[in-house]
Amino acid sequence: MKSVKLVFLRRVLFASLLVLVSAIAPAKTPYSHASDRIVSVGGSVTEILYALGAQQQIVAADTSSLYPEQVSQLPKVGYYRQLSVEGILAMQPTHLFAAMGVGPSEVLTQLSNAGVQVHVFEQARTVAGLLNMIHEIGQRAGLQAQAEQLEKHVKDQLNAIKKINIKPEQRAVFLMSAGERGIMAAGKNTVPNLIMKIAGLRNPYDNIDGFKPVSIESFLAIAPTQVLIAEHRTGGLSASDLCKQPALEKWAQAQGCNLYIVDALLFLGLTPRLPDAVAQFAHILEQ
């Protein structure tokens, strides 16, 4: 009888201890407190955090994080693919929010071992991928309601874009570079390809994956009616100067210098400003 009572008492004490521990132990909840300190690396991740209203807790960012303008005032921790442990830990972060591809991997391990919560987000080059990234960042940041509002805003903006009257002969390409070293074009699984798809125009280079060098011959065979190139890859040259480069000269003579220098952040980053990029691309097509 005593043994039964003893077992019973032990169970009661054990249950009470569990209740006490759960009451005093820190909960493993997503970031949501003003005292938390975020280092954000990857332009898309940083832009989403700002759009969600978490800017007060961002203490540093990487060099690819350039939008919104307030990010320029933050300390920089290097490029997101080449981070250093010392630079990040100097900011005394509680969390690292990062885009897929962040590294080196040993840096992430060292940060985790130092007690920093590391969150890495995939950047699938689809509308669903963008919405999912907003959702996941919102969850990890404890900003689910704001994430739902932002997702709805992006969807509403995309739905509001008017149908473009695309001419059968229109062929637009997006170039990462066009100079003495040749031409590098955007293929499938890139943000430019997604922008074209949403606008209803097929990317002539959708047979290649990512950004790849292409021959001048293939470029001339496509005979693009519009060429877009990211501003940071122009070397400071104007559109008319670029059209005089050996890689583009023959095309410009045949098609005219229909070259447009565009905002790299808008056309290369998968961010909540995707509808703005599509609208700008549509405007280019309709000129």
Side-chain angles (χ1 to χ4, degrees), residues 209-273:
D209 191 20
F211 296 96
K212 294 288 192 305
V214 297
S215 68
I216 294 176
E217 290 74 20
S218 75
F219 178 74
L220 292 174
I222 289 171
T225 50
Q226 290 92 8
V227 171
L228 286 72
I229 188 166
E231 184 176 12
H232 75 297
R233 302 303 295 266
T234 63
L237 297 177
S238 66
S240 59
D241 289 335
L242 286 169
C243 285
K244 296 173 185 175
Q245 297 294 302
L248 298 176
E249 188 175 18
K250 288 184 179 179
W251 163 77
Q253 291 172 351
Q255 296 288 332
C257 186
N258 296 318
L259 188 145
Y260 300 86
I261 298 172
V262 296
D263 182 352
L265 296 176
L266 195 60
F267 278 79
L268 295 175
L270 190 64
T271 76
R273 293 186 297 151

Side-chain angles (χ1 to χ4, degrees), residues 65-177:
S65 298
L66 300 171
Y67 186 90
E69 189 177 344
Q70 301 97 295
V71 180
S72 64
Q73 300 171 12
L74 292 173
K76 298 301 180 184
V77 294
Y79 183 54
Y80 83 105
R81 294 184 184 273
Q82 299 170 326
L83 299 176
S84 69
V85 175
E86 294 79 10
I88 295 175
L89 291 181
M91 303 310 303
Q92 300 180 332
T94 56
H95 296 72
L96 176 77
F97 278 57
M100 186 69 73
V102 61
S105 58
E106 55 266 26
V107 168
L108 302 185
T109 301
Q110 289 172 322
L111 289 174
S112 294
N113 291 340
V116 179
Q117 294 191 39
V118 177
H119 313 283
V120 180
F121 303 96
E122 184 180 359
Q123 302 181 92
R125 305 305 189 193
T126 62
V127 173
L130 170 60
L131 298 176
N132 186 62
M133 186 162 62
I134 293 172
H135 175 77
E136 287 190 352
I137 290 175
Q139 275 199 323
R140 300 289 180 87
L143 298 167
Q144 293 93 330
Q146 292 88 334
E148 288 178 8
Q149 292 175 0
L150 184 56
E151 289 176 63
K152 183 179 183 302
H153 178 68
V154 171
K155 285 189 231 179
D156 289 346
Q157 280 195 313
L158 287 173
N159 291 333
I161 295 173
K162 296 179 180 179
K163 292 291 183 182
I164 305 167
N165 184 23
I166 297 173
K167 300 171 185 175
E169 69 274 11
Q170 279 186 305
R171 295 170 302 281
V173 301
F174 187 98
L175 302 181
M176 278 295 282
S177 62

